[in-house]
Amino acid sequence: MSVLAKISKYLLFLAVFFTFLVSAHLVVAYLYHDSTILPEEGGTISIGLVGDVPSLNPLEYGMHPKNDIVLRYLYRSMLRYDPLRREVVGDIGNCDLGQNFSIVQCYPNQGLWSDGTPITTEDILQTYRTLSESDINPALKAILSEITIEDTGEYIAFRTDNPDVEIITLFLAPIVSAEEARQIRRGILDLEAIPASWPYTYAWREGVDSYNSEKITLVKNPNFWGDERIYIGRTVFRFFPDEQTLLKNESILNVIPATETTPPPESPRFEPVKTLLPQYISLFLNSEEVPADIRNIVLFHLENTQYASLSSDRWKVMPDIFFGNPEPHELLSKNIAEPFNILGFYKRDTLIHLYSEEIEALEQWELPDSSTPAEPAPAIPANTHFSAPTSESIYFFSGNSEGELILSWSVPADTTAVLINGYRLSRYVPGSGTFLYRSRLDLGNLREGENIYRLTLERAGQREEVETLTVYYSPDAARLAEIRGNVMSEYTTPEPETPDPDTVEKARTGLEKSLAQVEKLDNTYYYNRDFVRYTLDMLYTNQSHVVPELVWEISEALKLIGIHVNHREISLEEMRTIIDSDQKTYDMLLTGVHLGTLGYNIFPFFHSGQAESGFNFSKIKSIPLDVELETLKSRFQKGEDLASVQETIRTLVHKEHAVLPYYASYRTWYVDRNLENIPSPELLPSSAHLVELTRDSSIIRRYGIEWDMKTGTDFFSWISESIR
């Protein structure tokens, strides 16, 4: 065969070969061009956790976070939390929670245990009986102690004389089979014998392996009863002794729950999934220590401050009390200095002006002409003890949005008790010499028109009414001017006292010394006539690594508006003392708020009943707010009803100018990108709900081709469209 023939044969072979490759490529491209990627059952995912292997006792739910994580993969409960809808939905039972939880009716649904036997009413009753008769779970036992349970045949009735939303906590606890409940009551826990009811069932536990981890392996429940299709065939929980060991073995993991300080995995295979925890760090202003106008100024300024400590994407910055978008505070007073001036505090330059005017007035005093004696003119009497907002016995008050007026006075050091209109002031400290009295519209001790405040002192066991302050109040400036005209028509400006030259000189010398001291002050702050800075005392609990820096930033921000901040860290033990007693003498408190699964736990933080001893750190006392909080706590709200109640509460709390949520923490889960169909709920109440992220996921996939639509004619049409 000639060389030309060989070349021709070779070229023909190459042409056929490449024609085949191109044709095959076109056919494959055609078949898959409109195919869909479908999840396939099977595969294993590994979840890394730090710590010891938990007991897996289903009746210890709510006691140990890692235990709860695994239990949620194994057991159903009467109700369950749906993170995407952010509400509780039916599970083993459909429960009618009634209007106020006093009678709850639960209708059991169909369901199977992993051994194929049906879930029965007896299983539910025996689970609750074990919880109520044993000390396995003290928290749930306490809830059950207030409840009687009755099987009516059609439904299970839960009745209580002390209805509370906490009953939902009981319905979120796992249900076990009646036989296993009896065994646990006897102290026997056989994990391999306990049938499961959720997507997975317990398979085995392995000791420390080459990765320095212990394993619990769960396998797919063959009798899972639910609408969802479970794709992952096996879920493995690996328990590492520490975070460093866990991250060192990230290559064998698919899900890594991160803490606040956990560095991201090195592998690009992981992507972060962030969910909010139902808690936030909040600043509380004590409404009994800080006047409303100053609270308003403080919150307005802090809201408009940039915080370097909160620049990380680990936080949702400044949510409202229900994690929504907050309504900003608007300044109530155009003159920011006025609320401080009312309390007797001034900037340095203002004090210099005041002292200079007083010195000038002394220099301009002249002896009166004795040949024309002045007619005595009635003047507004001065008070000895009342000092703010005035030392005169009459005061005209135009008010603020809160209708709040702070009265302060000085009393002799031997005063053992102070009374205003017969009301004994519980916060007066004998020997202190001073006290504050708060009058407000909503407290009933301030009303439009004339208000009389009689000051009575108790000394040496004897009570004596020493003086009276009359306050004329109207929020209407024109009306107040009319009242002022009528009242002042009875008074004229008093003639100046005959000055004594020595007295004048002594007074001038004192004022000049004070002026010299004032000139040395920092004009940043407000000072009183004793040269004491206006100061707010702030306590804080160090619950996050950013808190100390945030405290410093708050102090610096308030310094810009003339307020000095004394801050002190307190321990959780000291916080408990504050909660359990009436020692809420701070001006501000920075601490955490935890709302629980449904957000109903906001009740104690703002209810009047918790103002003295309790969690109402701002000491807010508002009857309308109490009513809404009680509605939220005593009734199961959903959808628009829940949103309406929350909005009303949000508005009422906002009007108090006493609360500023600073940041809510994100919980980060590093999830393998090969895991498909991972949801992104905004809020996940706890790590126990990890199953809600992985339950519907898959790690094996296939292409779905619609073979009925694939024809020769369609193939050539596709080629024609592709080359246009």
Side-chain angles (χ1 to χ4, degrees):
M1 182 180 295
S2 67
V3 174
L4 182 60
K6 288 183 178 180
I7 293 174
S8 298
K9 182 178 180 181
Y10 179 69
L11 291 175
L12 177 62
F13 172 76
L14 288 178
V16 171
F17 176 72
F18 282 110
T19 299
F20 173 76
L21 284 181
V22 171
S23 299
H25 173 75
L26 288 172
V27 170
V28 171
Y30 165 67
L31 292 175
Y32 285 91
H33 88 277
D34 58 354
S35 62
T36 56
I37 299 177
L38 301 175
E40 188 82 350
E41 293 188 18
T44 300
I45 64 170
S46 292
I47 300 172
L49 299 172
V50 174
D52 298 328
V53 177
S55 69
L56 296 192
N57 185 335
L59 300 191
E60 291 181 355
Y61 183 79
M63 300 174 63
H64 311 289
K66 285 184 286 294
N67 198 43
D68 295 351
I69 291 176
V70 183
L71 292 177
R72 277 290 170 197
Y73 280 79
L74 298 171
Y75 301 101
R76 298 175 66 181
S77 46
M78 289 297 289
L79 303 173
R80 70 180 179 87
Y81 178 74
D82 185 331
L84 295 180
R85 293 162 58 181
R86 287 181 67 171
E87 61 184 41
V88 170
V89 297
D91 193 3
I92 284 180
N94 285 324
C95 296
D96 179 358
L97 299 171
Q99 286 296 310
N100 64 355
F101 307 108
S102 59
I103 301 178
V104 177
Q105 299 174 349
C106 290
Y107 299 81
N109 291 326
Q110 291 180 315
L112 294 175
W113 295 108
S114 54
D115 60 9
T117 58
I119 298 173
T120 65
T121 298
E122 182 65 14
D123 297 326
I124 299 170
L125 296 174
Q126 287 299 325
T127 296
Y128 291 140
R129 178 184 173 188
T130 300
L131 286 170
S132 64
E133 294 182 358
S134 68
D135 295 322
I136 294 173
N137 196 317
L140 296 184
K141 181 178 182 179
I143 295 174
L144 282 163
S145 67
E146 303 279 344
I147 297 172
T148 58
I149 303 175
E150 177 189 2
D151 177 16
T152 68
E154 182 183 1
Y155 57 84
I156 302 174
F158 299 80
R159 294 184 173 87
T160 178
D161 293 330
N162 298 301
D164 195 287
V165 72
E166 283 299 315
I167 195 173
I168 293 180
T169 305
L170 176 68
F171 296 143
L172 295 175
I175 298 296
V176 298
S177 69
E179 179 56 32
E180 295 310 322
R182 297 186 186 98
Q183 291 285 75
I184 293 174
R185 211 153 57 230
R186 301 187 192 105
I188 301 171
L189 180 66
D190 185 354
L191 295 176
E192 296 184 3
I194 299 180
S197 53
W198 206 218
Y200 297 90
T201 184
Y202 177 84
W204 61 81
R205 172 180 174 177
E206 299 177 49
V208 178
D209 57 14
S210 59
Y211 299 103
N212 197 21
S213 70
E214 293 185 79
K215 293 195 303 184
I216 289 177
T217 299
L218 312 181
V219 297
K220 186 176 175 181
N221 181 355
N223 291 301
F224 172 64
W225 186 285
D227 297 331
E228 304 91 342
R229 183 178 178 183
I230 305 303
Y231 294 99
I232 301 295
R234 184 177 297 177
T235 297
V236 176
F237 289 92
R238 288 182 174 270
F239 296 87
F240 296 90
D242 52 60
E243 190 175 81
Q244 184 178 1
T245 304
L246 183 152
L247 292 174
K248 181 181 177 181
N249 294 287
E250 66 179 51
S251 60
I252 62 171
L253 300 174
N254 302 100
V255 180
I256 301 175
T259 64
E260 190 176 294
T261 57
T262 302
E266 295 180 359
S267 172
R269 178 170 57 90
F270 290 93
E271 65 177 345
V273 175
K274 297 197 304 181
T275 59
L276 280 174
L277 293 169
Q279 58 194 38
Y280 48 78
I281 299 297
S282 182
L283 181 69
F284 296 90
L285 277 71
N286 192 332
S287 62
E288 291 193 355
E289 300 291 336
V290 186
D293 278 349
I294 293 182
R295 297 200 307 270
N296 168 254
I297 293 170
V298 167
L299 294 187
F300 175 82
H301 191 69
L302 293 179
E303 280 182 343
N304 291 280
T305 298
Q306 297 295 319
Y307 299 91
S309 61
L310 302 180
S311 60
S312 169
D313 60 1
R314 290 179 180 272
W315 329 110
K316 178 174 181 178
V317 179
M318 291 193 179
D320 73 0
I321 58 174
F322 291 110
F323 297 95
N325 296 317
E327 178 186 352
H329 287 84
E330 300 292 337
L331 281 176
L332 301 178
S333 175
K334 295 180 180 179
N335 182 358
I336 292 180
E338 183 179 13
F340 297 95
N341 297 161
I342 289 175
L343 295 177
F345 287 83
Y346 306 88
K347 288 291 187 74
R348 180 197 65 194
D349 291 349
T350 304
L351 280 174
I352 289 175
H353 178 73
L354 291 175
Y355 278 115
S356 298
E357 280 190 335
E358 291 173 9
I359 292 172
E360 183 179 350
L362 284 175
E363 293 174 345
Q364 293 178 353
W365 267 10
E366 297 179 357
L367 291 175
D369 184 357
S370 58
S371 63
T372 56
E375 290 292 329
I380 299 177
N383 275 328
T384 303
H385 301 287
F386 282 107
S387 57
T390 180
S391 60
E392 296 180 333
S393 60
I394 296 176
Y395 181 64
F396 299 94
F397 179 48
S398 62
N400 47 45
S401 67
E402 304 301 318
E404 179 181 81
L405 178 65
I406 304 296
L407 309 180
S408 66
W409 61 87
S410 60
V411 295
D414 62 349
T415 301
T416 55
V418 177
L419 298 88
I420 297 289
N421 294 342
Y423 172 73
R424 186 186 182 101
L425 303 181
S426 61
R427 299 182 67 82
Y428 171 72
V429 178
S432 64
T434 59
F435 205 84
L436 298 177
Y437 177 74
R438 186 182 308 275
S439 58
R440 285 176 52 144
L441 291 172
D442 58 0
L443 295 179
N445 57 357
L446 178 67
R447 65 177 184 273
E448 189 164 356
E450 185 183 61
N451 298 268
I452 298 176
Y453 300 97
R454 295 181 175 86
L455 175 63
T456 300
L457 305 183
E458 183 178 283
R459 304 170 65 189
Q462 301 295 318
R463 289 186 179 181
E464 178 186 2
E465 183 177 316
V466 293
E467 62 189 25
T468 298
L469 171 64
T470 302
V471 175
Y472 293 94
Y473 166 69
S474 177
D476 185 334
R479 171 60 180 154
L480 187 64
E482 180 184 349
I483 294 174
R484 181 192 296 270
N486 293 334
V487 173
M488 295 303 294
S489 64
E490 302 177 11
Y491 299 94
T492 61
T493 304
E495 292 293 327
E497 297 179 3
T498 302
D500 174 69
D502 292 337
T503 302
V504 170
E505 182 61 27
K506 184 176 181 180
R508 181 168 53 237
T509 301
L511 288 172
E512 288 174 346
K513 287 182 179 180
S514 296
L515 178 59
Q517 285 185 267
V518 169
E519 289 173 341
K520 298 177 183 179
L521 299 176
D522 183 350
N523 197 45
T524 301
Y525 299 105
Y526 289 94
Y527 299 86
N528 64 13
R529 294 266 184 154
D530 295 323
F531 316 117
V532 176
R533 288 180 297 191
Y534 185 83
T535 300
L536 295 179
D537 294 321
M538 178 168 68
L539 304 179
Y540 68 93
T541 54
N542 193 355
Q543 295 171 269
S544 163
H545 73 279
V546 303
V547 166
E549 185 179 353
L550 178 59
V551 168
W552 180 83
E553 289 176 315
I554 291 172
S555 301
E556 289 298 299
L558 294 184
K559 179 180 178 180
L560 295 177
I561 57 172
I563 298 175
H564 176 66
V565 177
N566 279 332
H567 50 77
R568 180 172 68 85
E569 179 182 347
I570 59 174
S571 65
L572 294 179
E573 289 75 18
E574 191 171 352
M575 171 62 83
R576 174 54 60 183
T577 300
I578 291 173
I579 293 171
D580 291 342
S581 66
D582 60 352
Q583 300 178 20
K584 297 176 182 175
T585 57
Y586 51 81
D587 297 314
M588 301 187 295
L589 175 66
L590 186 70
T591 191
V593 172
H594 196 295
L595 299 190
T597 302
L598 296 174
Y600 292 97
N601 199 43
I602 201 170
F603 175 91
F605 294 98
F606 302 113
H607 194 275
S608 299
Q610 300 271 330
E612 298 305 324
S613 60
F615 289 89
N616 186 345
F617 300 127
S618 291
K619 304 195 76 171
I620 294 174
K621 296 177 181 178
S622 167
I623 293 175
L625 179 58
D626 290 346
V627 171
E628 296 299 326
L629 288 168
E630 288 163 8
T631 298
L632 182 68
K633 189 175 188 291
S634 64
R635 300 179 185 175
F636 186 64
Q637 309 282 344
K638 296 176 69 174
E640 293 182 0
D641 291 340
L642 176 60
S644 176
V645 173
Q646 288 181 336
E647 180 59 30
T648 303
I649 292 173
R650 183 183 292 113
T651 300
L652 291 171
V653 171
H654 183 271
K655 288 176 61 179
E656 295 290 333
H657 309 291
V659 182
L660 180 62
Y662 258 101
Y663 68 90
S665 300
Y666 282 109
R667 178 67 182 268
T668 302
W669 312 82
Y670 291 106
V671 180
D672 190 340
R673 297 178 189 272
N674 294 309
L675 279 173
E676 293 283 344
N677 199 30
I678 299 293
S680 297
E682 181 184 22
L683 187 145
L684 209 59
S686 71
S687 57
H689 298 278
L690 173 60
V691 65
E692 303 295 342
L693 296 182
T694 66
R695 187 183 66 216
D696 299 330
S697 65
S698 64
I699 200 168
I700 300 176
R701 288 169 290 282
R702 64 179 177 83
Y703 286 95
I705 300 175
E706 297 183 10
W707 295 102
D708 294 342
M709 304 295 293
K710 303 300 179 182
T711 64
T713 302
D714 186 59
F715 173 68
F716 289 108
S717 296
W718 172 75
I719 292 177
S720 177
E721 292 176 1
S722 300
I723 63 178
R724 286 179 181 175

